[in-house]
Coordinates of all heavy atoms in Angstrom, one line a residue:
M208 N 86.1 72.6 108.8 CA 85.3 73.8 109.1 C 84.9 73.7 110.6 O 84.5 72.6 111.0 CB 84.1 73.8 108.2 CG 83.2 75.0 108.4 SD 81.7 75.1 107.4 CE 82.3 74.7 105.8
K209 N 85.0 74.8 111.3 CA 84.6 74.8 112.7 C 83.1 74.6 112.9 O 82.3 75.0 112.0 CB 85.0 76.1 113.4 CG 86.5 76.3 113.5 CD 86.8 77.6 114.3 CE 88.3 77.7 114.5 NZ 88.6 78.9 115.3
N210 N 82.8 73.9 113.9 CA 81.4 73.5 114.1 C 80.4 74.7 114.2 O 79.3 74.7 113.7 CB 81.2 72.6 115.4 CG 81.7 71.2 115.2 OD1 81.9 70.8 114.1 ND2 82.0 70.6 116.3
E211 N 80.9 75.8 114.9 CA 80.0 76.9 115.0 C 79.7 77.6 113.7 O 78.7 78.1 113.4 CB 80.4 77.9 116.1 CG 81.7 78.5 115.8 CD 82.9 77.8 116.5 OE1 82.8 76.7 116.9 OE2 84.0 78.5 116.5
I212 N 80.8 77.6 112.8 CA 80.6 78.2 111.5 C 79.7 77.3 110.7 O 78.8 77.8 110.0 CB 82.0 78.4 110.8 CG1 82.8 79.5 111.6 CG2 81.8 78.8 109.4 CD1 84.2 79.6 111.1
K213 N 79.9 76.0 110.7 CA 79.1 75.1 110.0 C 77.6 75.2 110.4 O 76.7 75.3 109.5 CB 79.5 73.7 110.1 CG 78.8 72.7 109.3 CD 79.3 71.3 109.5 CE 78.4 70.4 108.6 NZ 78.7 68.9 108.9
L214 N 77.4 75.3 111.7 CA 76.0 75.5 112.2 C 75.4 76.8 111.7 O 74.2 76.8 111.2 CB 76.0 75.4 113.7 CG 74.7 75.6 114.4 CD1 73.7 74.5 114.0 CD2 74.8 75.6 115.9
A215 N 76.1 77.9 111.8 CA 75.7 79.1 111.2 C 75.3 79.0 109.7 O 74.3 79.6 109.3 CB 76.7 80.2 111.5
L216 N 76.1 78.4 109.0 CA 75.9 78.2 107.5 C 74.6 77.4 107.3 O 73.8 77.7 106.4 CB 77.1 77.6 106.8 CG 78.3 78.5 106.7 CD1 79.5 77.7 106.1 CD2 78.0 79.7 105.8
E217 N 74.5 76.4 108.1 CA 73.3 75.5 108.0 C 72.0 76.3 108.3 O 71.0 76.1 107.6 CB 73.4 74.3 108.9 CG 74.4 73.3 108.4 CD 74.7 72.1 109.3 OE1 74.3 72.3 110.5 OE2 75.4 71.2 108.9
I218 N 72.0 77.1 109.3 CA 70.9 78.0 109.7 C 70.6 78.9 108.6 O 69.4 79.1 108.2 CB 71.1 78.7 111.0 CG1 71.1 77.6 112.2 CG2 70.1 79.7 111.2 CD1 71.7 78.2 113.5
M219 N 71.6 79.6 108.0 CA 71.4 80.5 106.9 C 70.9 79.8 105.7 O 70.0 80.3 105.0 CB 72.7 81.2 106.6 CG 73.2 82.2 107.6 SD 74.8 82.9 107.3 CE 74.4 84.0 106.0
M220 N 71.3 78.6 105.4 CA 70.9 77.8 104.2 C 69.4 77.5 104.4 O 68.6 77.7 103.4 CB 71.6 76.5 104.1 CG 71.2 75.7 102.8 SD 72.1 74.2 102.6 CE 71.4 73.2 103.9
K221 N 68.9 77.1 105.6 CA 67.5 76.9 105.8 C 66.7 78.2 105.7 O 65.6 78.1 105.0 CB 67.3 76.3 107.2 CG 67.8 74.9 107.3 CD 67.7 74.3 108.7 CE 68.3 73.0 108.8 NZ 68.4 72.4 110.1
K222 N 67.2 79.2 106.1 CA 66.5 80.5 105.9 C 66.3 80.9 104.5 O 65.2 81.2 104.0 CB 67.3 81.7 106.7 CG 66.8 83.0 106.4 CD 67.7 84.1 107.0 CE 67.2 85.5 106.6 NZ 68.1 86.5 107.2
Y223 N 67.4 80.8 103.8 CA 67.3 81.2 102.3 C 66.5 80.2 101.5 O 65.9 80.5 100.5 CB 68.7 81.5 101.8 CG 69.2 82.8 102.4 CD1 70.2 82.8 103.3 CD2 68.6 84.0 102.1 CE1 70.6 84.0 103.9 CE2 69.0 85.2 102.7 CZ 70.0 85.1 103.6 OH 70.4 86.3 104.2
R224 N 66.6 78.9 101.9 CA 65.8 77.9 101.2 C 64.3 78.2 101.4 O 63.5 78.2 100.5 CB 66.1 76.5 101.7 CG 65.2 75.4 101.0 CD 65.6 74.0 101.4 NE 65.4 73.9 102.8 CZ 66.2 73.2 103.6 NH1 67.2 72.5 103.1 NH2 66.0 73.2 104.9
S225 N 63.9 78.6 102.6 CA 62.5 79.0 102.9 C 62.1 80.2 102.1 O 61.0 80.3 101.6 CB 62.4 79.3 104.4 OG 62.6 78.1 105.2
L226 N 63.0 81.2 102.1 CA 62.6 82.5 101.3 C 62.5 82.2 99.9 O 61.6 82.7 99.2 CB 63.6 83.5 101.6 CG 63.6 84.1 103.1 CD1 64.8 85.0 103.4 CD2 62.2 84.8 103.4
V227 N 63.3 81.4 99.3 CA 63.2 81.1 97.8 C 62.0 80.3 97.6 O 61.2 80.5 96.7 CB 64.5 80.3 97.3 CG1 64.3 79.7 96.0 CG2 65.7 81.2 97.4
W228 N 61.7 79.3 98.5 CA 60.4 78.6 98.4 C 59.2 79.4 98.4 O 58.4 79.3 97.6 CB 60.4 77.5 99.4 CG 59.0 76.8 99.5 CD1 58.7 75.7 98.8 CD2 57.9 77.2 100.3 NE1 57.3 75.4 99.0 CE2 56.9 76.3 99.9 CE3 57.7 78.1 101.2 CZ2 55.6 76.3 100.5 CZ3 56.4 78.2 101.8 CH2 55.4 77.3 101.5
L229 N 59.2 80.4 99.3 CA 58.1 81.3 99.4 C 57.9 82.1 98.2 O 56.8 82.3 97.7 CB 58.3 82.2 100.6 CG 57.2 83.3 100.8 CD1 55.9 82.6 101.3 CD2 57.7 84.3 101.9
A230 N 59.0 82.6 97.6 CA 58.9 83.5 96.4 C 58.4 82.7 95.2 O 57.7 83.2 94.4 CB 60.3 84.1 96.1
R231 N 58.6 81.4 95.2 CA 58.2 80.5 94.1 C 56.8 80.0 94.3 O 56.2 79.4 93.4 CB 59.1 79.4 93.9 CG 60.5 79.8 93.5 CD 61.4 78.5 93.4 NE 62.7 78.9 92.8 CZ 63.7 78.0 92.9 NH1 63.6 76.9 93.4 NH2 64.8 78.4 92.3
S232 N 56.3 80.1 95.5 CA 55.0 79.5 95.9 C 53.8 80.3 95.4 O 53.9 81.5 95.3 CB 54.9 79.4 97.4 OG 55.9 78.5 97.9
D233 N 52.7 79.6 95.2 CA 51.4 80.3 94.8 C 50.7 80.7 96.1 O 50.2 79.8 96.9 CB 50.6 79.3 94.0 CG 49.3 79.8 93.6 OD1 49.0 81.0 93.9 OD2 48.5 79.1 93.0
P234 N 50.6 82.0 96.4 CA 50.0 82.4 97.6 C 48.5 82.1 97.7 O 47.9 82.1 98.7 CB 50.2 83.9 97.6 CG 50.5 84.3 96.2 CD 51.1 83.1 95.5
D235 N 47.9 81.7 96.6 CA 46.4 81.4 96.5 C 46.2 79.9 96.8 O 45.1 79.4 96.9 CB 45.8 81.8 95.2 CG 45.9 83.3 95.0 OD1 45.8 84.0 96.0 OD2 46.1 83.7 93.9
N236 N 47.3 79.1 96.9 CA 47.2 77.7 97.1 C 46.9 77.4 98.7 O 47.7 77.6 99.5 CB 48.5 77.0 96.8 CG 48.4 75.5 97.0 OD1 47.6 74.9 97.7 ND2 49.3 74.8 96.3
E237 N 45.7 77.1 98.9 CA 45.2 76.9 100.3 C 46.0 75.8 101.0 O 46.1 75.9 102.2 CB 43.7 76.6 100.3 CG 42.8 77.7 99.9 CD 42.9 78.9 100.8 OE1 43.0 78.7 102.1 OE2 42.9 80.0 100.3
K238 N 46.4 74.8 100.3 CA 47.2 73.7 101.0 C 48.4 74.1 101.6 O 48.9 73.4 102.6 CB 47.4 72.5 99.9 CG 46.1 71.9 99.4 CD 46.5 70.8 98.5 CE 45.3 70.2 97.9 NZ 45.6 69.1 96.9
I239 N 49.1 75.1 101.1 CA 50.4 75.5 101.7 C 50.3 76.7 102.6 O 51.3 77.3 103.0 CB 51.5 75.7 100.5 CG1 51.0 76.8 99.6 CG2 51.7 74.4 99.8 CD1 52.1 77.2 98.6
Q240 N 49.1 77.2 102.8 CA 49.0 78.4 103.7 C 49.7 78.3 105.1 O 50.3 79.3 105.5 CB 47.5 78.8 103.9 CG 46.9 79.4 102.6 CD 47.6 80.6 102.1 OE1 47.9 81.5 102.8 NE2 48.0 80.5 100.8
P241 N 49.6 77.1 105.7 CA 50.3 77.0 107.0 C 51.8 77.2 106.9 O 52.5 77.9 107.7 CB 49.9 75.6 107.5 CG 48.7 75.3 106.8 CD 48.8 76.0 105.5
E242 N 52.4 76.6 105.8 CA 53.8 76.8 105.6 C 54.2 78.3 105.2 O 55.2 78.8 105.7 CB 54.3 75.8 104.5 CG 54.3 74.4 104.9 CD 52.9 73.7 104.5 OE1 52.0 74.4 104.2 OE2 52.9 72.5 104.8
I243 N 53.3 78.9 104.4 CA 53.6 80.3 104.0 C 53.6 81.2 105.3 O 54.5 82.0 105.5 CB 52.5 80.8 103.0 CG1 52.8 80.1 101.6 CG2 52.6 82.3 102.9 CD1 51.7 80.4 100.6
K244 N 52.6 81.0 106.2 CA 52.5 81.7 107.3 C 53.7 81.5 108.3 O 54.2 82.5 108.8 CB 51.2 81.4 108.1 CG 50.9 82.2 109.3 CD 49.6 81.9 110.0 CE 49.5 82.8 111.2 NZ 48.2 82.8 111.8
E245 N 54.2 80.3 108.3 CA 55.3 80.0 109.2 C 56.5 80.7 108.7 O 57.3 81.3 109.5 CB 55.6 78.5 109.2 CG 56.8 78.0 110.0 CD 57.0 76.5 110.0 OE1 56.0 75.7 109.7 OE2 58.1 76.2 110.1
V246 N 56.8 80.7 107.4 CA 57.9 81.5 106.8 C 57.8 82.9 107.1 O 58.7 83.6 107.5 CB 58.1 81.2 105.3 CG1 59.2 82.0 104.7 CG2 58.5 79.7 105.1
E247 N 56.6 83.5 106.9 CA 56.3 84.9 107.1 C 56.6 85.3 108.6 O 57.1 86.4 108.9 CB 54.9 85.3 106.7 CG 54.7 85.2 105.2 CD 53.3 85.4 104.8 OE1 52.3 85.2 105.6 OE2 53.1 85.7 103.6
E248 N 56.2 84.4 109.5 CA 56.4 84.7 110.9 C 57.8 84.5 111.3 O 58.4 85.3 112.2 CB 55.6 83.7 111.8 CG 54.1 84.1 111.7 CD 53.2 83.1 112.4 OE1 53.7 82.0 112.9 OE2 52.0 83.3 112.5
Q249 N 58.6 83.6 110.7 CA 60.0 83.4 111.0 C 60.9 84.6 110.5 O 61.8 85.0 111.2 CB 60.5 82.1 110.4 CG 60.4 80.9 111.3 CD 61.1 79.8 110.6 OE1 60.8 79.4 109.5 NE2 62.1 79.2 111.3
F250 N 60.5 85.1 109.3 CA 61.3 86.1 108.7 C 60.5 87.3 108.2 O 60.3 87.5 107.0 CB 62.0 85.5 107.5 CG 62.7 84.2 107.8 CD1 62.3 83.0 107.3 CD2 63.9 84.2 108.6 CE1 63.0 81.8 107.6 CE2 64.6 83.0 108.9 CZ 64.1 81.8 108.4
P251 N 59.9 88.0 109.2 CA 59.0 89.1 108.8 C 59.6 90.2 107.9 O 59.0 90.7 107.0 CB 58.5 89.6 110.1 CG 59.5 89.2 111.1 CD 60.1 87.9 110.6
E252 N 60.8 90.6 108.3 CA 61.4 91.7 107.5 C 61.7 91.3 106.1 O 61.4 92.0 105.1 CB 62.7 92.2 108.1 CG 62.5 92.9 109.4 CD 63.8 93.3 110.1 OE1 64.8 93.5 109.4 OE2 63.8 93.4 111.3
E253 N 62.2 90.1 105.9 CA 62.6 89.6 104.6 C 61.3 89.3 103.7 O 61.3 89.6 102.5 CB 63.4 88.3 104.7 CG 64.8 88.5 105.3 CD 64.8 88.4 106.8 OE1 63.7 88.5 107.5 OE2 65.9 88.3 107.4
T254 N 60.3 88.8 104.4 CA 59.1 88.5 103.6 C 58.4 89.8 103.2 O 57.8 89.9 102.1 CB 58.1 87.5 104.3 OG1 57.8 88.0 105.5 CG2 58.8 86.2 104.4
T255 N 58.4 90.8 104.0 CA 57.9 92.1 103.7 C 58.6 92.7 102.5 O 57.9 93.2 101.6 CB 57.9 93.0 104.9 OG1 57.1 92.5 105.9 CG2 57.4 94.5 104.6
R256 N 59.9 92.5 102.5 CA 60.7 93.1 101.4 C 60.3 92.3 100.1 O 60.3 92.9 99.0 CB 62.2 93.1 101.6 CG 62.6 94.2 102.6 CD 64.1 94.3 102.7 NE 64.9 93.1 102.9 CZ 65.3 92.8 104.1 NH1 65.2 93.6 105.2 NH2 66.0 91.7 104.3
L257 N 60.1 91.1 100.2 CA 59.8 90.2 99.0 C 58.4 90.7 98.5 O 58.2 90.8 97.3 CB 59.7 88.7 99.4 CG 60.9 87.9 99.2 CD1 60.6 86.5 99.7 CD2 61.3 87.9 97.7
K258 N 57.5 91.1 99.4 CA 56.2 91.4 98.9 C 56.1 92.9 98.5 O 55.4 93.3 97.5 CB 55.2 91.3 100.1 CG 54.9 89.8 100.4 CD 53.9 89.7 101.5 CE 53.7 88.3 101.9 NZ 52.7 88.2 103.0
N259 N 56.8 93.8 99.2 CA 56.6 95.2 99.0 C 57.8 96.0 98.4 O 57.7 97.2 98.0 CB 56.2 95.9 100.3 CG 55.0 95.3 100.9 OD1 54.1 94.9 100.2 ND2 55.0 95.2 102.3
G260 N 58.9 95.3 98.3 CA 60.1 96.0 97.8 C 60.4 95.6 96.4 O 59.4 95.3 95.6
D261 N 61.6 95.6 96.0 CA 62.0 95.2 94.7 C 62.1 93.6 94.7 O 63.2 93.1 95.0 CB 63.4 95.8 94.4 CG 63.8 95.5 92.9 OD1 63.2 94.6 92.3 OD2 64.8 96.0 92.5
S262 N 61.0 93.0 94.5 CA 61.0 91.5 94.6 C 62.0 90.8 93.8 O 62.5 89.7 94.2 CB 59.6 91.0 94.4 OG 59.1 91.3 93.1
N263 N 62.3 91.3 92.5 CA 63.2 90.6 91.7 C 64.6 90.7 92.3 O 65.3 89.6 92.3 CB 63.3 91.2 90.3 CG 62.1 90.9 89.5 OD1 61.5 89.8 89.7 ND2 61.8 91.7 88.5
W264 N 65.0 91.8 92.9 CA 66.3 91.9 93.6 C 66.3 91.0 94.8 O 67.3 90.3 95.0 CB 66.6 93.4 94.0 CG 68.0 93.6 94.4 CD1 69.1 93.9 93.6 CD2 68.5 93.3 95.7 NE1 70.2 93.9 94.4 CE2 69.9 93.6 95.7 CE3 67.9 92.9 96.9 CZ2 70.7 93.5 96.8 CZ3 68.7 92.8 98.1 CH2 70.1 93.1 98.0
E265 N 65.3 91.1 95.6 CA 65.3 90.3 96.8 C 65.3 88.8 96.5 O 66.1 88.0 97.2 CB 64.0 90.6 97.6 CG 63.9 91.9 98.2 CD 64.9 92.3 99.2 OE1 65.4 91.4 99.9 OE2 65.2 93.5 99.4
H266 N 64.5 88.4 95.5 CA 64.6 86.9 95.2 C 65.9 86.6 94.6 O 66.4 85.4 94.9 CB 63.5 86.6 94.2 CG 63.3 85.2 93.8 ND1 63.2 84.1 94.7 CD2 63.4 84.6 92.6 CE1 63.2 83.1 94.1 NE2 63.3 83.2 92.8
G267 N 66.5 87.4 93.8 CA 67.8 87.1 93.3 C 68.9 87.0 94.4 O 69.7 86.1 94.4
F268 N 68.8 87.9 95.4 CA 69.7 87.9 96.5 C 69.5 86.6 97.3 O 70.5 85.9 97.6 CB 69.5 89.1 97.4 CG 70.4 89.1 98.7 CD1 71.7 89.5 98.6 CD2 69.9 88.5 99.8 CE1 72.5 89.5 99.7 CE2 70.7 88.5 101.0 CZ 72.0 89.0 100.9
N269 N 68.3 86.2 97.6 CA 68.0 85.0 98.4 C 68.5 83.8 97.6 O 69.0 82.9 98.2 CB 66.5 84.9 98.7 CG 66.0 86.0 99.7 OD1 66.8 86.6 100.4 ND2 64.8 86.4 99.6
S270 N 68.2 83.8 96.4 CA 68.7 82.6 95.5 C 70.2 82.5 95.5 O 70.8 81.4 95.7 CB 68.2 82.7 94.1 OG 66.8 82.7 94.1
G271 N 70.9 83.6 95.4 CA 72.3 83.6 95.5 C 72.9 83.1 96.8 O 73.9 82.4 96.8
M272 N 72.2 83.6 97.9 CA 72.7 83.1 99.2 C 72.4 81.6 99.4 O 73.3 81.0 99.8 CB 71.9 83.9 100.3 CG 72.4 85.4 100.4 SD 74.1 85.6 100.8 CE 74.1 84.9 102.5
L273 N 71.3 81.1 98.9 CA 71.0 79.7 99.0 C 72.1 78.9 98.2 O 72.6 78.0 98.7 CB 69.7 79.4 98.4 CG 69.2 77.9 98.4 CD1 69.3 77.2 99.8 CD2 67.9 77.8 97.7
A274 N 72.4 79.4 97.0 CA 73.4 78.7 96.2 C 74.8 78.7 96.9 O 75.5 77.7 97.0 CB 73.5 79.3 94.8
G275 N 75.2 79.8 97.4 CA 76.4 80.0 98.1 C 76.6 79.1 99.4 O 77.6 78.5 99.7
M276 N 75.4 79.1 100.2 CA 75.5 78.3 101.4 C 75.6 76.8 101.0 O 76.3 76.1 101.7 CB 74.2 78.5 102.2 CG 74.0 79.9 102.8 SD 75.3 80.4 103.8 CE 76.1 81.6 102.8
R277 N 74.8 76.4 100.0 CA 74.9 75.0 99.6 C 76.3 74.6 99.1 O 76.9 73.5 99.4 CB 73.9 74.6 98.6 CG 72.5 74.6 99.2 CD 71.5 74.2 98.2 NE 70.2 73.9 98.8 CZ 69.1 73.9 98.2 NH1 69.0 74.1 96.9 NH2 67.9 73.7 98.8
F278 N 76.9 75.5 98.4 CA 78.3 75.3 98.0 C 79.2 75.2 99.1 O 80.1 74.3 99.2 CB 78.7 76.4 97.0 CG 80.1 76.2 96.3 CD1 80.2 75.5 95.1 CD2 81.3 76.6 96.9 CE1 81.4 75.3 94.5 CE2 82.5 76.3 96.3 CZ 82.5 75.6 95.1
A279 N 79.2 76.1 100.0 CA 80.1 76.2 101.2 C 79.9 74.9 102.1 O 80.9 74.5 102.7 CB 79.8 77.4 102.0
L280 N 78.7 74.4 102.2 CA 78.5 73.2 103.0 C 78.7 71.9 102.3 O 78.6 70.8 102.9 CB 77.0 73.3 103.6 CG 76.8 74.3 104.6 CD1 75.3 74.5 104.8 CD2 77.5 73.9 105.9
S281 N 79.0 71.9 101.0 CA 79.2 70.7 100.3 C 80.5 69.9 100.8 O 81.4 70.5 101.3 CB 79.4 71.0 98.8 OG 79.6 69.8 98.1
K282 N 80.3 68.7 100.8 CA 81.4 67.8 101.3 C 82.4 67.4 100.2 O 83.4 66.9 100.5 CB 80.9 66.5 102.0 CG 80.1 66.8 103.2 CD 79.5 65.6 103.8 CE 78.7 65.7 105.1 NZ 78.4 66.9 105.7
N283 N 82.0 67.7 98.9 CA 82.8 67.2 97.8 C 82.9 68.4 96.8 O 81.9 68.8 96.2 CB 82.1 66.0 97.2 CG 82.9 65.5 96.0 OD1 83.0 66.2 95.0 ND2 83.3 64.2 96.1
L284 N 84.1 68.9 96.6 CA 84.3 70.1 95.7 C 83.8 69.8 94.3 O 83.2 70.6 93.6 CB 85.7 70.6 95.7 CG 86.0 71.8 94.9 CD1 85.2 72.9 95.3 CD2 87.6 72.1 95.0
K285 N 84.2 68.7 93.8 CA 83.8 68.3 92.4 C 82.2 68.3 92.3 O 81.7 68.9 91.3 CB 84.3 66.9 92.0 CG 84.0 66.5 90.6 CD 84.6 65.2 90.2 CE 84.4 64.9 88.7 NZ 83.4 63.9 88.5
R286 N 81.6 67.7 93.2 CA 80.1 67.7 93.2 C 79.5 69.1 93.4 O 78.5 69.5 92.7 CB 79.6 66.8 94.2 CG 78.1 66.7 94.4 CD 77.5 65.9 93.2 NE 76.1 65.9 93.2 CZ 75.3 65.0 93.6 NH1 75.8 63.8 93.9 NH2 74.0 65.1 93.5
A287 N 80.1 69.9 94.2 CA 79.7 71.3 94.5 C 79.8 72.1 93.2 O 78.8 72.8 92.9 CB 80.5 71.9 95.6
N288 N 80.9 71.9 92.4 CA 81.0 72.7 91.2 C 80.0 72.2 90.2 O 79.5 73.0 89.4 CB 82.4 72.5 90.7 CG 83.4 73.4 91.4 OD1 83.1 74.6 91.6 ND2 84.6 72.9 91.8
E289 N 79.7 70.9 90.1 CA 78.8 70.3 89.2 C 77.3 70.8 89.5 O 76.6 71.1 88.6 CB 78.8 68.8 89.2 CG 80.0 68.2 88.6 CD 80.1 66.7 88.8 OE1 79.2 66.1 89.5 OE2 81.1 66.1 88.4
D290 N 77.0 70.9 90.8 CA 75.7 71.3 91.2 C 75.4 72.8 91.2 O 74.3 73.2 91.2 CB 75.3 70.7 92.6 CG 75.2 69.2 92.6 OD1 75.1 68.6 91.5 OD2 75.3 68.6 93.7
F291 N 76.5 73.6 91.3 CA 76.3 75.0 91.4 C 75.7 75.6 90.2 O 76.1 75.4 89.2 CB 77.7 75.6 91.7 CG 77.6 77.1 92.1 CD1 77.2 77.5 93.4 CD2 77.8 78.1 91.2 CE1 77.2 78.8 93.7 CE2 77.7 79.4 91.5 CZ 77.4 79.7 92.8
P292 N 74.7 76.5 90.4 CA 74.0 76.8 91.6 C 72.8 75.9 91.8 O 72.0 75.8 91.0 CB 73.5 78.3 91.3 CG 73.3 78.3 89.8 CD 74.3 77.3 89.2
A293 N 72.9 75.3 93.0 CA 71.8 74.4 93.4 C 70.7 75.2 94.0 O 70.8 75.7 95.1 CB 72.3 73.3 94.3
L294 N 69.6 75.4 93.3 CA 68.5 76.3 93.7 C 67.2 75.5 94.0 O 66.1 76.2 94.1 CB 68.3 77.4 92.8 CG 69.5 78.3 92.6 CD1 69.2 79.3 91.6 CD2 69.8 79.0 94.0
D295 N 67.2 74.2 94.0 CA 65.9 73.5 94.2 C 65.4 73.7 95.6 O 66.2 73.9 96.5 CB 66.1 72.0 93.8 CG 67.2 71.4 94.7 OD1 68.3 71.8 94.6 OD2 66.9 70.4 95.4
T296 N 64.1 73.8 95.8 CA 63.6 73.9 97.1 C 62.6 72.8 97.3 O 62.0 72.6 98.2 CB 62.8 75.3 97.2 OG1 61.8 75.4 96.2 CG2 63.7 76.5 97.2

């Protein structure tokens, strides 16, 4: 895989991991407010859609993207197939 493609996939994986984490997080948990704010500032359009749009669709899309990015970046096909869809955050 070319380095620039791999780097782009890694950036996308981090983005979707953050968005999946945010969707699963308790917004009332004071301990994670700084992390929540950071994700909201990094991805304002996506987090607005999660809050105000069709959150089930948005979360499903983000989860699918996270799983796909992790599969594409896997170094071992057998392990990638075993772990798919890897959605832990």
Side-chain angles (χ1 to χ4, degrees):
M208 182 180 314
K209 290 186 176 183
N210 286 340
E211 62 266 14
I212 293 173
K213 183 178 179 191
L214 178 60
L216 289 172
E217 289 170 347
I218 291 168
M219 290 175 72
M220 182 180 69
K221 289 176 185 173
K222 171 185 177 177
Y223 291 109
R224 181 178 56 217
S225 295
L226 292 169
V227 170
W228 172 84
L229 180 68
R231 293 177 176 169
S232 298
D233 177 5
D235 297 326
N236 182 341
E237 291 296 320
K238 293 179 181 178
I239 62 170
Q240 287 305 309
E242 291 88 352
I243 289 174
K244 184 175 179 169
E245 182 180 332
V246 173
E247 290 173 341
E248 289 173 354
Q249 269 188 303
F250 311 109
E252 291 178 28
E253 293 86 345
T254 55
T255 297
R256 286 195 304 262
L257 267 174
K258 291 179 183 180
N259 302 326
D261 184 352
S262 61
N263 285 334
W264 189 93
E265 294 293 337
H266 182 56
F268 177 83
N269 294 336
S270 296
M272 289 298 293
L273 175 60
M276 296 300 104
R277 287 182 170 166
F278 188 90
L280 287 166
S281 182
K282 294 178 180 3
N283 180 297
L284 181 59
K285 182 176 187 254
R286 177 72 188 254
N288 281 315
E289 289 171 358
D290 291 346
F291 187 82
L294 295 174
D295 57 303
T296 55

